[in-house]
């Protein structure tokens, strides 16, 4: 064994989206990736979405989308206060990606210069604004420079058009929009429809979970004119991974350092994750830190870390009543329909109405989660002695 102990595991547990060069670490998702490769290669134009809870692997999947004979660019959106700033950021990021391109570099640089100037004016103004006294500020406010939404949109349209003309087929991937509030995402995409729905352009957005949920149940009112279905050609939903996939991911990452973890550790981390790869990496990372001087990470170490983080979480206000705690204990290994849960609770002394409300509350607090239409206690809470 290495005398550095389990600290050698830390770099192997880094949470970062995988790229093509890390394909050794990729598990599952072949189906979603080849579907996206196919559809983006063959669709003449249109908007697609990739949806899923945070940390489930949206960016990772998007990094593997490389359709043949298609020019691909990915942009990230990071300025997010308003719809206008999302558009500015989109234009700026795309222009930055294209500024050294032989075909469209010139147009891209023009866009970048324009936006830099715009933002400087906005910033300069708000700086001056904060230096003025209150009375003058009131007066100045009416002359405040605004985000020039229409001009920015026109430029984005132009840049995209030039790129499509030069490259024949253009796939634009817009990642990180998923952190947005639902309404803002919809408003931005809606406002850009004319610029985005053009021949030979396919756009893929990563989307917040909430949008997908409404898309499926088809209740989403897009605006007066229509709903989500009319805007997205399709939305690919990334389901949580299976426990087996999570274990495979960990085995691939730890590889020749597998001896540094006790066998059951991977099992427990996979359970804890509920199929979310980020959660598995996070809890292991945390546990390695908690036990940095050990020469092997054992199940008992990981269980201690889990207990600690869950208790911290609960102490921030997600309190459980005695009944709810009792139910969590009783349901520890259950996996099945709602009726089965109500039956177990009633057999153990819960009144019918109490069983119902305890069930509802545990679902709402995400102590009970749904997988393939069946319920189970989240792996986050399975190992905790309340
Ligand atoms: N299919 C996979 N195989 C192996 N590791 C994965 C897979 N998908 C995701 N991961 C790992 O899980 C973590 C989260 O992935 P990623 O950043 O792609 O998720 P995300 O859905 O884009 O998250 P966010 O909502 O924060 O943008 C990363 O550390 C990544 O390496
Ligand atoms: Mg991401």
């Amino acid at each position: 064994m290495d005398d550095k102990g389990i600290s050698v595991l830390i770099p192997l547990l880094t949470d970062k989206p995988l790229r093509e060069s890390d394909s050794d670490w990729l598990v599952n998702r072949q189906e979603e990736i080849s579907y996206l490769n196919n559809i983006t290669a063959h669709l003449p134009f249109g908007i697609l979405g990739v949806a899923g809870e945070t940390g489930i692997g949206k960016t990772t999947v998007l990094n593997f989308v490389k359709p043949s004979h298609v020019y691909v660019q990915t942009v990230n959106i990071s300025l997010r206060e308003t719809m206008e700033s999302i558009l500015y950021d989109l234009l700026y990021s795309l222009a930055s990606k294209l500024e050294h391109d032989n075909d469209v570099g010139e147009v891209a640089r023009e866009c970048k210069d324009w936006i830099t100037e715009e933002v400087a004016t906005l910033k300069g103004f708000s700086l001056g604004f904060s230096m003025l006294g209150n009375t003058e500020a009131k007066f100045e406010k009416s002359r405040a420079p605004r985000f020039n939404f229409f001009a920015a949109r026109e430029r984005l349209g132009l840049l995209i058009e030039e790129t499509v003309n030069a490259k024949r087929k253009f796939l634009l991937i817009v990642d990180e929009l998923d952190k947005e509030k639902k309404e803002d995402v919809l408003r931005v995409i809606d406002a850009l429809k004319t610029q985005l729905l053009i021949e030979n352009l396919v756009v893929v957005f990563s989307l917040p979970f909430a949008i997908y949920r409404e898309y499926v149940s088809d209740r989403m009112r897009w605006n007066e004119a229509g709903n989500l279905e009319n805007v997205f050609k399709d939305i690919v939903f990334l389901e949580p991974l299976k426990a087996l996939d999570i274990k495979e991911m960990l085995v691939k990452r730890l590889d020749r350092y597998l001896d540094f973890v006790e066998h059951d550790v991977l099992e427990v981390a996979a359970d804890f994750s509920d199929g979310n790869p980020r959660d598995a990496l996070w809890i292991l990372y945390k546990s390695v830190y908690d036990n940095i001087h050990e020469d092997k990470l054992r199940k008992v170490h990981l269980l201690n870390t889990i207990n600690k983080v869950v208790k911290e979480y609960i102490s921030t206000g997600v309190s459980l009543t005695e009944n709810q705690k009792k139910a969590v204990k009783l349901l520890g290994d259950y996996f099945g329909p709602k009726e089965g849960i109500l039956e177990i609770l009633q057999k153990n002394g819960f009144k019918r109405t109490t069983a119902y409300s305890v069930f509802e509350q545990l679902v709402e607090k995400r102590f009970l989660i749904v997988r393939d239409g069946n319920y189970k206690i989240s792996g986050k809470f399975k190992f905790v002695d309340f």
Side-chain angles (χ1 to χ4, degrees):
M1 289 250 169
D2 200 305
D3 55 356
K4 278 192 288 182
I6 57 176
S7 66
V8 294
L9 301 179
I10 286 187
L12 304 172
L13 297 170
T14 315
D15 177 13
K16 62 164 187 5
L18 303 182
R19 323 197 127 263
E20 262 188 320
S21 52
D22 314 308
S23 61
D24 286 355
W25 283 4
L26 184 73
V27 301
N28 198 307
R29 304 301 189 208
Q30 289 314 330
E31 217 174 287
E32 290 89 345
I33 291 170
S34 49
Y35 174 76
L36 283 165
N37 273 324
N38 264 318
I39 190 164
T40 51
H42 296 116
L43 200 65
F45 68 95
I47 302 176
L48 302 163
V50 169
E53 62 186 74
T54 172
I56 211 71
K58 296 179 292 296
T59 304
T60 295
V61 164
L62 290 173
N63 283 343
F64 284 84
V65 177
K66 299 269 151 65
S68 42
H69 310 297
V70 176
Y71 179 73
V72 186
Q73 279 296 350
T74 301
V75 294
N76 295 300
I77 305 298
S78 55
L79 277 173
R80 304 166 170 130
E81 295 91 68
T82 62
M83 191 172 149
E84 283 77 15
S85 60
I86 294 173
L87 173 60
Y88 268 45
D89 199 21
L90 180 59
L91 177 58
Y92 188 84
S93 315
L94 182 61
S96 305
K97 284 283 169 82
L98 295 172
E99 68 178 326
H100 301 299
D101 185 87
N102 284 338
D103 301 311
V104 296
E106 207 179 310
V107 187
R109 283 192 298 274
E110 270 169 34
C111 286
K112 221 178 139 180
D113 290 346
W114 177 81
I115 212 152
T116 310
E117 204 166 299
E118 284 279 300
V119 170
T121 319
L122 287 170
K123 277 217 181 102
F125 181 81
S126 59
L127 198 65
F129 186 76
S130 65
M131 280 164 14
L132 291 170
N134 265 340
T135 40
E136 288 104 314
K138 242 181 236 149
F139 164 72
E140 285 289 328
K141 207 167 186 174
S142 58
R143 293 198 282 125
R146 304 249 168 108
F147 276 113
N148 200 338
F149 191 87
F150 298 102
R153 186 171 67 176
E154 204 179 297
R155 284 187 184 258
L156 180 69
L158 187 77
L159 182 58
I160 286 176
E161 233 178 87
E162 294 273 323
T163 312
V164 170
N165 287 340
K167 310 292 180 190
R168 294 300 304 141
K169 180 80 181 271
F170 179 24
L171 168 60
L172 173 61
I173 298 176
V174 185
D175 194 10
E176 300 286 306
L177 255 184
D178 46 345
K179 311 289 194 314
E180 293 313 310
K181 286 191 293 274
K182 192 172 71 186
E183 290 72 23
D184 288 345
V185 175
L186 296 182
R187 282 168 59 223
V188 170
I189 300 175
D190 196 36
L192 296 179
K193 262 189 321 210
T194 318
Q195 283 70 29
L196 299 183
L197 292 174
I198 62 172
E199 195 73 19
N200 287 323
L201 171 71
V202 174
V203 188
V204 180
F205 285 99
S206 66
L207 293 174
F209 188 61
I211 289 192
Y212 177 77
R213 204 168 37 221
E214 305 216 18
Y215 170 78
V216 172
S217 55
D218 195 23
R219 278 181 289 112
M220 174 68 83
R221 296 290 300 164
W222 179 261
N223 52 28
E224 274 66 49
N227 58 22
L228 264 184
E229 246 181 331
N230 302 333
V231 174
F232 288 97
K233 278 264 154 48
D234 196 5
I235 298 184
V236 174
F237 181 63
L238 298 181
E239 297 278 352
L241 295 166
K242 303 269 176 254
L244 218 62
D245 295 324
I246 299 284
K247 273 191 271 179
E248 187 187 332
M249 167 185 80
L250 296 173
V251 168
K252 284 177 159 178
R253 279 185 175 243
L254 300 182
D255 188 33
R256 57 201 187 87
Y257 293 95
L258 263 178
D259 281 351
F260 285 74
V261 302
E262 204 174 68
H263 180 68
D264 286 350
V265 158
L266 303 189
E267 190 87 32
V268 173
D271 258 343
F272 176 89
S273 77
D274 292 327
N276 184 309
R278 172 170 298 150
D279 289 357
L281 295 170
W282 179 77
I283 198 67
L284 276 179
Y285 187 87
K286 232 174 150 51
S287 195
V288 169
Y289 254 111
D290 285 350
N291 300 283
I292 199 84
H293 300 299
E294 299 288 338
D295 53 15
K296 191 163 186 151
L297 186 70
R298 299 182 187 281
K299 183 178 178 183
V300 55
H301 296 141
L302 183 56
L303 291 179
N304 283 338
T305 303
I306 292 178
N307 262 279
K308 202 180 74 182
V309 301
V310 171
K311 280 179 181 155
E312 267 166 30
Y313 169 69
I314 288 177
S315 73
T316 62
V318 199
S319 61
L320 288 189
T321 63
E322 286 311 310
N323 269 339
Q324 291 166 3
K325 285 181 190 167
K326 187 175 162 194
V328 170
K329 257 182 235 157
L330 287 169
L331 298 170
D333 291 314
Y334 182 83
F335 180 67
K338 176 177 174 178
E339 294 71 40
I341 291 183
L342 297 172
E343 209 179 295
I344 293 176
L345 295 183
Q346 279 168 274
K347 268 194 194 141
N348 285 278
F350 285 75
K351 282 202 208 112
R352 203 179 122 84
T353 47
T354 317
Y356 267 91
S357 73
V358 165
F359 171 83
E360 297 295 343
Q361 289 147 6
L362 289 179
V363 170
E364 198 193 304
K365 289 179 177 166
R366 311 244 291 154
F367 279 67
L368 271 175
I369 57 171
V370 191
R371 288 292 180 266
D372 305 325
N374 286 311
Y375 291 88
K376 65 185 225 177
I377 291 292
S378 158
K380 308 267 180 306
F381 309 108
K382 211 171 132 175
F383 305 101
V384 178
D385 23 280
F386 288 105

